[in-house]
Every structure is written in C-alpha cells, then in structure tokens.
Amino acid sequence: MKTFLEFEKPIAEIEGKIEELRHITDAGELNIADEVSRLQTKVDKLLRDTYRGLTPAQKVQVARHPNRPHALDYIQALITEFQPLAGDRAFAEDRAIIGGLGRFQDWSVVVIGQEKGNDTESRIRHNFGMAKPEGYRKAQRLLDLADRFHLPVITFIDTAGAYPGVASEERGVAEAIAKSIESCLKVQVPLVSVVIGEGGSGGAIGIAVANRVLMLEHSIYSVISPEGCASILWRSSAQSQEAAAALKLTAQDLKQLGVIDGVIEEPVGGAHRFPDQAFRAVGDAIGSALAGLVELDGKTLRGKRREKFLAIGQNLG
C-alpha cells in the first residue's frame, strides 16, 4: 500500500481515480483505457514538476519515507554471497548496524550499513537505525578485517543519529563513534559511502569517512535534525522548515560545498516509487567509484582520504 507525503496529495487523488477506473467493469460509453492513460500522463507530469522543485523540508520528508529502500534492501540487490558477521567481541550484537562479507560485481568486499527496519517489529529489532556503542565497535572490527585482507569497504548511511539513551552513554557511545571515525581514516583499502536516506550527526559520519562519499538525490546529511536545530535556536520545532533550509542538508547543497563527492539521480518520484531503478543507479555509482580507487596503493588511499576531510574544514572555514 502506497504512502503519500503531505505535498503529494494532488498526486494521491489522481492515482486514487486511476485505481477506481481500473476496478470498473461496466463503464458504458467511457473508454477506460484512454481515461487511465490520460490520468497517468497527468500523474507523471505532476511527479516530475513536484520532485524537481522540492524544498529542503520536503526532501527531509522524502529521505524519511517509510517505503524508502533501506540498507538491507541495497545489500540484497547489489551484494551476492553476503555473509553477515555479528557482535563486537566485547558486549553484544547491535542490529542497527548490519555488516559482513560479500561480492560486489567483481570484487570481494566488506559491507556495513545502518538498518532502520520497514515495519513495527523490524524497526524495534533494529532500534530504528540508531546504533549503540557496540554497533560502532562492530564497525571497527569489520574495518580492521577489511584492512587485514585488503578488501574494499562499502557503507550505506541511513540513521537519525546514534542512540542517545542512558545505557548507550554509559557504555561510551561518543568514544565508540570517535574510534570508528579513526578506523575509517586508518584503513589502507578503498572506502565508498552512500547516504541512502537520512545521514544524521556523528551517528552517520561514524561509518562515512570515505574516499568517495555519495548521496542519493533526495537524501539528507546534517550535523543535527531540523527539528533539533529549531528547538535549540527558536525553542520550538515549529520552525523546522526554516532550519532545514539553513542547515544546507540536501545533496545538492553539500555537493556545492564540497562535503560530498557526487549525487546519484533518483527515479522520478523518489527511490521509494521505483526501488529497482534506485538499486541500479547506486550500483553503477559505487562501481564507478571503486574502479577509480582499487588501482591505488594503500598508503595513497589513506593519505588522500585524510587530505580530503582536512580540506573540507579548510574550505568551509
């Protein structure tokens, strides 16, 4: 069942009429096929016009769309022979971060992704994609494994942020994220990250310090959520639309600022409407990125990655 966002109401109404027409058995003089075709053309135009002019606040809604493909969907579509690896070898298994070994195109790779879940049960199981310290320590273990066996790393970013609960703080979530960032900076293998939905705060960057950072067209990447920013600056989340615009959290803004390396075009209407097209686009982008990195030696990869992130600070400063 399709879920429509607030700004998609005109599209929802027309698509509702199309469904009604398709269930009509006796239409009298009305040519059902012609009418459906006419309405579908109208829907396609509305989708193109709507998604061409999305505001930052609307992009936030699309990035959080409940039907948007998540990390496990991309892994299933793009990674063959995937073997998940569990646990941080210290405390517990954190299902908010999925990781393991697999094959991408012609390469054996290590894959790490933040998984939000797609229904009530799976969202609770994956803690809505908000990892605890053990999740980031598992990511460190997988990065070390990739470095030891000279395997490229692919990460899928999709989280509102690290889990901020008391137990998470007690177990050192800030230190775990910092160590995870350090592990990303240390490895001497190609590292490609893709923001597929919501890239929130340190929870996102913990596994996104990569040689190539890519974003889907309607994903977001920010130091804080628009609601959190508005609550701090205006003492009310009602100003979240203004905050979304000020944060420069869209893929287009971040590419212009030099924070990311590329924007992956989504199907008209977003990745949630045509996931197979989104999978192909992401696969092609990752393949192109890896092809340009696998020929470099380890020290060069590590050095260029460090220079890239130092340059971001200098350019924005």
Side-chain angles (χ1 to χ4, degrees), residues 8 47-48 51-52 54 62 68-69 74 216-218 264-282:
E8 293 180 313
L47 274 173
R48 282 194 302 273
Y51 275 79
R52 192 183 294 125
L54 291 179
V62 177
R68 193 170 177 86
Y74 284 94
L216 277 170
E217 181 182 1
H218 303 308
I264 304 171
E265 187 176 348
E266 294 190 30
V268 176
H272 57 280
R273 276 186 168 263
F274 305 102
D276 289 340
Q277 292 182 35
F279 297 149
R280 285 194 294 272
V282 169

Side-chain angles (χ1 to χ4, degrees), residues 178-246:
K179 285 288 188 181
S180 189
I181 292 171
E182 182 184 29
S183 294
C184 288
L185 288 168
K186 280 169 52 179
V187 294
Q188 298 188 43
V189 296
L191 206 170
V192 177
S193 295
V194 185
V195 182
I196 56 175
E198 188 177 11
S201 192
I205 202 169
I207 59 169
V209 185
N211 294 97
R212 297 288 182 273
V213 181
L214 309 171
M215 285 182 70
L216 277 170
E217 181 182 1
H218 303 308
S219 59
I220 59 170
Y221 194 17
S222 175
V223 69
I224 191 173
S225 70
E227 295 83 2
C229 177
S231 296
I232 292 169
L233 295 182
W234 289 282
R235 303 286 188 243
S236 169
S237 60
Q239 273 74 36
S240 60
Q241 291 191 21
E242 291 92 327

Side-chain angles (χ1 to χ4, degrees), residues 35 51 65 85:
E35 184 64 13
Y51 275 79
H65 196 289
L85 299 175

